[in-house]
Structure formats: C-alpha cells, structure tokens
C-alpha cells in the first residue's frame, strides 16, 4: 500500500532530507528562508497530516538523524562563504537547541562542509565532512571526538568488541 501526504501549508520543493522519530513523526530539513526543520505528526490510515511544527534558526540544514532519546541532529553545510553554518546542531526532545558543534572543535578540527550525520547502536554520533574529506565520531554526549582523515596516510578505522579505534596501517 502506498501512502501520499500533501499539505497546502508546506512547500516541499525546498526540503532536503528527512528522518523518522520514535513517535513515528517525520522530521524534514528545509532550505526555505535560510533554513528550518519541520516536524510532522501523521495519521497514515487517513493519509493526513495531523500537526506540523517548525523549528527556525538554521543556515542551510542538510542531513538529519534522530537518536534513541528523540534528539534531532542536523548538519548545516557551508553557506555562501567560509564558516557560515558548518556545524552540527543537536535539539533535545522538546525541540530546543541543546548544543552546537562547530565550525571549530577546540584545536582538534574545523568543519568545512558537514554533509551527513548518523547515530550507531551505542549512540555515538558520526559526521561526514565533505569539505575536509573525513568522518568525525563523537561520543554520545558529544564531549569528545575522534577523527578519520583520509588525507593522512596510515590512518585506519576499525571496530572491535570495545568499540571504534584509530590505528596505523
């Protein structure tokens, strides 16, 4: 069975990516007016949008993921110049901005164009930075990170029984 959603209240032409929340709501990134994220409550039996909420304050929101706590993670890509956007934003389950990571993360790295985000089964966050040609892994509360840079020779990511490790090849 195919379900199709339509709403006169939302312009789907500028939507970029989406994620499904535990509650079966849908979160959609949208580039309209600089950027926002829509959360949509759906009744699939009726093919109806029950409720739509909008979260403003983004600059070119691109990819989106959701963790087990229903926090929404959104990457902001590079927007018309260096360091506008270029971050990962984390919103809590109440859809309030909890944390912004980037463009700089101390002296460890700088995001140039974070282009993807995902969460593993241990709640670690992974951000692919297209501009730096690397993947950055954060622990679940994003207080520490590990980086894989394919430009540096000899770097090798491996996953073992104790988690991810970066070693030399």
């Amino acid at each position: 069975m195919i379900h199709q959603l339509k709403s006169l209240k939302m312009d789907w032409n500028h939507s970029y990516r989406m994620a499904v929340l535990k509650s079966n709501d849908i979160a959609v990134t949208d580039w309209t007016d600089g950027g926002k994220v829509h959360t949509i409550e759906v009744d699939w039996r009726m093919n109806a949008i029950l409720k739509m909420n909008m979260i403003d304050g983004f600059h070119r929101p691109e990819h989106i993921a959701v963790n087990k706590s229903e926090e929404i993670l959104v990457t902001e890509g590079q927007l018309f110049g260096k360091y506008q956007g270029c971050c990962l934003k984390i919103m809590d389950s109440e859809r309030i901005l909890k944390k912004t990571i980037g463009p700089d993360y101390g002296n460890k790295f700088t995001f140039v164009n974070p282009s993807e985000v995902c969460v593993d089964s241990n709640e670690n966050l992974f951000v692919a930075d297209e501009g730096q040609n690397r993947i950055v892994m954060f622990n679940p509360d994003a207080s520490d990170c590990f980086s894989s840079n394919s430009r540096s020779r000899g770097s090798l990511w491996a996953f073992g029984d104790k988690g991810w490790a970066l070693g030399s090849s």
Side-chain angles (χ1 to χ4, degrees):
M1 179 175 280
I2 297 174
H3 296 275
Q4 183 176 7
L5 293 174
K6 289 187 178 184
S7 172
L8 299 175
K9 296 180 182 178
M10 186 170 178
D11 176 5
W12 294 91
N13 294 329
H14 297 94
S15 61
Y16 198 73
R17 296 284 191 258
M18 68 180 169
V20 178
L21 286 68
K22 252 187 345 187
S23 61
N24 285 327
D25 290 357
I26 300 170
V28 181
T29 59
D30 179 4
W31 288 10
T32 306
D33 300 325
K36 55 189 92 170
V37 172
H38 299 275
T39 56
I40 305 163
E41 185 180 334
V42 178
D43 181 344
W44 289 109
R45 291 171 294 180
M46 301 295 291
N47 287 341
I49 294 175
L50 301 177
K51 188 176 183 183
M52 287 188 0
N53 295 309
M54 183 176 56
I55 308 164
D56 282 319
F58 291 92
H59 302 283
R60 192 178 168 206
E62 291 192 7
H63 294 271
I64 188 166
V66 179
N67 65 16
K68 290 177 185 173
S69 303
E70 287 237 343
E71 293 176 327
I72 296 177
L73 308 122
V74 178
T75 58
E76 289 186 344
Q78 189 171 2
L79 179 67
F80 309 121
K82 201 170 186 182
Y83 306 123
Q84 293 182 4
C86 303
C87 64
L88 171 68
K89 288 189 174 177
I90 303 172
M91 291 169 290
D92 65 18
S93 60
E94 301 298 317
R95 309 304 169 240
I96 297 169
L97 182 63
K98 176 180 169 181
K99 187 176 233 178
T100 299
I101 303 170
D104 295 316
Y105 190 82
N107 61 358
K108 291 187 177 188
F109 71 88
T110 299
F111 280 134
V112 172
N113 192 10
S115 53
E116 183 62 77
V117 61
C118 64
V119 181
D120 71 9
S121 61
N122 295 318
E123 293 293 292
N124 294 306
L125 317 175
F126 293 81
V127 179
D129 188 342
E130 186 177 309
Q132 295 282 21
N133 199 28
R134 77 167 130 214
I135 297 172
V136 181
M137 181 186 83
F138 296 93
N139 63 348
D141 67 357
S143 62
D144 200 7
C145 72
F146 308 92
S147 175
S148 164
N149 188 339
S150 64
R151 290 182 190 160
S152 59
R153 300 185 114 192
S155 295
L156 176 68
W157 279 93
F159 186 78
D161 59 348
K162 297 189 182 193
W164 286 93
L166 179 63
S168 298
S169 57

